[in-house]
Structures are given as structure tokens and as C-alpha cells.
Amino acid sequence: MTIDENLLVLLLALLLDRIAGDPQWLWTRVPHPVVMFGAAISYADRQLNPASLTGSQRRMNGIAAILALLLLAVAAGFVFNRFFALFGLVGILLETGLVAIFLAQKSLADHVAAVAVALRDEGLAGGRSAVSRIVGRDPETLDEPAVCRAAIESLAENFSDGVVAPALWYVVLGLPGLFAYKMLNTADSMIGHKSEKYIDFGWAAARLDDVANWPAARLSILLIAAGAWIRRGTSAGREAIRVAMRDGALHRSPNSGRPEAAMAGALNVQLAGPRIYGGVIVREPMINDTGRDVATSGDIEDGVSVFYASCMVLAGVTFGLFLCFL
């Protein structure tokens, strides 16, 4: 496909995902593509990451594994692209549906909004249970403001790597680029940890994921600022950019801190700070330490509102670019 066709498909996919999200009735009957990516990654892990290897051997195997997985993803994307090209308009609609599967607008917003609902209806225990479905930190260590911060952080981070990054890589490289990005992002979430088992084997996946997410994380700042301006006014939009520029690099990730800082500025709330993963305290500075130090369920709802407005801006930009390339 040409770039104008990619832009058209992306625009339609953004609209479809915003309306339909991830239909559970479908994924209970057929495997989600990301599940299939995960199965390929697990197979590589079992075959190439035995405990008997040295660290350097694991690192070399990890490099070989992620390159092979990316090659497989690119090949699959190319095959689907060529197949859809055989069917003209119907092929464009089929590709739209496939691209929508890899976007996470409605599903992400629904999961995050569920945390606010659970806090109101079921109290702290319900909030902890709901937030445990979207973050990796120990839920039993979280008080109510920490549950709210965790939900907002997940919303901002996943806006970048669950919406903006796949959209960007699809526009630039089509289905091969989209498939490769999702394979890489899935590999990072599965093997890109700094645990004894994966610190070497997952090194290449983690580093490549950082590179792949670099542009989307910066673009997310502008989109969140635009969404904040639409929902919360000019001041919130300015604060989103100001805090992102000042505090975006405080996060241990070279990318996650950017959208998180933008959302913190948009909502005037503190995010990040010390937290516990697997019983281990991760000490990080607070993002937007001049903001409110107590996040609430209302802040989660405001964050979802900003998120949806940011997605709307992304769709608007896509439409504008499509018109430019006509």
C-alpha cells in the first residue's frame, strides 16, 4: 500500500477500535494475534535460554532470537499485505479490521476506568483488584491514592506504546512495520526484565523496544497536551508540555516518563515515585512534585477524558495527513 492508503486504513482502524474495542466474544473463539506472538516468544525462550548457559551466551542467543522473531513478523505482515491487495476495496476493509486489533483505545480506557468504578463501588480492595489487571506492581502495597496513580500511569504509558506507536509504525512501514513493532513490544513485556533469567537473554529486545518507542513517546506529549487543552483548557495543555519537558527524563525508562509526565501536568497530580514490584522497592523521583500529592478516582476519570481527546486528535492528524497525500 502507498502512504495515503495506509493513512486511510489507520483512520478507519482508529474509528473502528474506538467504537468496538477488543470484542471478547471473538477472542474466546480464536486466538488473538498478540497471543500467537507470545507463543513464538515463549518457544524461543524455552529453546534458547536454558539455565546452563553463561550470561554472554544468553545475550547472543537473545539477539538471535529477537532478530528471528522480527523477521518472522515482517514476513507475516508482508504476506497479509499482499493477500489483502488482491481484493481491492474489500482488502482495505480487511486490513482495517486487522490494524484495529493492534490498537488499544477502548480496551485501555475501559480497563483504567474500571479502577475508578471499583474504588467507588467496592472500596480499596476492589480498586486493588482492578488495578492489578493493568500494572505489575504489588497491589496489596497500594493505598487508594497509589492505586489511582498506578491507573493513570498505565493509561499514559500505554497511550504511547498501545496506540501512538503502532499507529506510527503502520503509517511508515505498513503491516510489516506494525507486526514487527507488536512482536518487539510483546517480547519486551515477556523477556525484557532485569531478572536473573532475562537480564541477558532479553537485553536486545529491551534495547530495541526503547528505540522503537522513542518517537511515539515524544509525539504522545503533544497529543496529550492537545487532549488536555480540549478537555481542561489552555492552562492544562501548557502544563502537560512544561512538566513533560522538565520531568520526562526522571523515569527509569527512556520513554515511559514522557507521556506520564505530560498526563501528570495535564491533571496537576504527582505520579511515579517509589513503588514495589515483586517485593522489591523501586525508588524513583516523583514526577510533577509540585502537583497535588493525593490522586483520586476523579483524576482517573479526568485522565480517561484527556486520553480519549488525545485519541481524537490523533485521528484528526491522520485525516489531515491523508488529505495532504491525496
Side-chain angles (χ1 to χ4, degrees), residues 28-275:
T28 56
R29 291 167 172 80
V30 297
H32 194 288
V34 172
V35 174
M36 299 172 69
F37 288 174
I41 295 162
S42 295
Y43 178 81
D45 183 18
R46 291 193 303 271
Q47 298 299 314
L48 299 174
N49 191 29
S52 58
L53 297 182
T54 65
S56 59
Q57 289 172 325
R58 287 186 178 195
R59 180 164 295 197
M60 291 304 298
N61 280 6
I63 293 172
I66 194 60
L67 291 178
L69 290 165
L70 290 175
L71 182 60
L72 178 65
V74 168
F78 180 78
V79 169
F80 273 99
N81 178 258
R82 297 305 298 167
F83 177 72
F84 292 150
L86 299 174
F87 299 97
L89 178 59
V90 173
I92 289 176
L93 296 177
L94 290 171
E95 186 155 330
T96 294
L98 183 57
V99 173
I101 288 171
F102 289 101
L103 301 173
Q105 295 171 105
K106 188 175 185 299
S107 60
L108 174 59
D110 286 349
H111 280 91
V112 172
V115 178
V117 173
L119 281 170
R120 282 199 307 268
D121 294 348
E122 305 170 40
L124 179 57
R128 285 172 170 172
S129 177
V131 84
S132 69
R133 302 184 186 105
I134 57 174
V135 301
R137 65 198 69 177
D138 298 343
E140 296 307 313
T141 67
L142 304 177
D143 58 13
E144 185 165 330
V147 167
C148 296
R149 287 197 304 271
I152 296 167
E153 290 162 18
S154 179
L155 178 70
E157 179 182 352
N158 284 289
F159 172 60
S160 177
D161 62 20
V163 179
V164 181
L168 183 61
W169 284 109
Y170 175 73
V171 167
V172 175
L173 296 175
L175 285 179
L178 175 61
F179 279 30
Y181 172 75
K182 292 303 292 187
M183 178 69 82
L184 181 59
N185 193 241
T186 305
D188 179 59
S189 67
M190 292 178 64
I191 64 174
H193 313 300
K194 292 184 177 179
S195 63
E196 181 180 353
K197 182 177 181 180
Y198 293 121
I199 191 168
D200 291 305
F201 184 73
W203 174 83
R207 298 292 78 74
L208 287 174
D209 186 70
D210 288 342
V211 173
N213 278 300
W214 195 96
R218 277 75 187 166
L219 178 58
S220 295
I221 295 172
L222 299 178
L223 293 171
I224 290 172
W229 175 73
I230 291 170
R231 295 301 189 206
R232 298 174 60 81
T234 304
S235 177
R238 284 200 303 262
E239 279 299 289
I241 293 177
R242 186 184 71 82
V243 175
M245 294 297 101
R246 186 192 68 192
D247 293 350
L250 296 179
H251 200 283
R252 70 188 187 280
S253 163
N255 297 314
S256 299
R258 269 65 186 188
E260 287 187 21
M263 188 65 79
L267 302 179
N268 186 34
V269 68
Q270 296 178 5
L271 295 178
R275 47 217 192 265

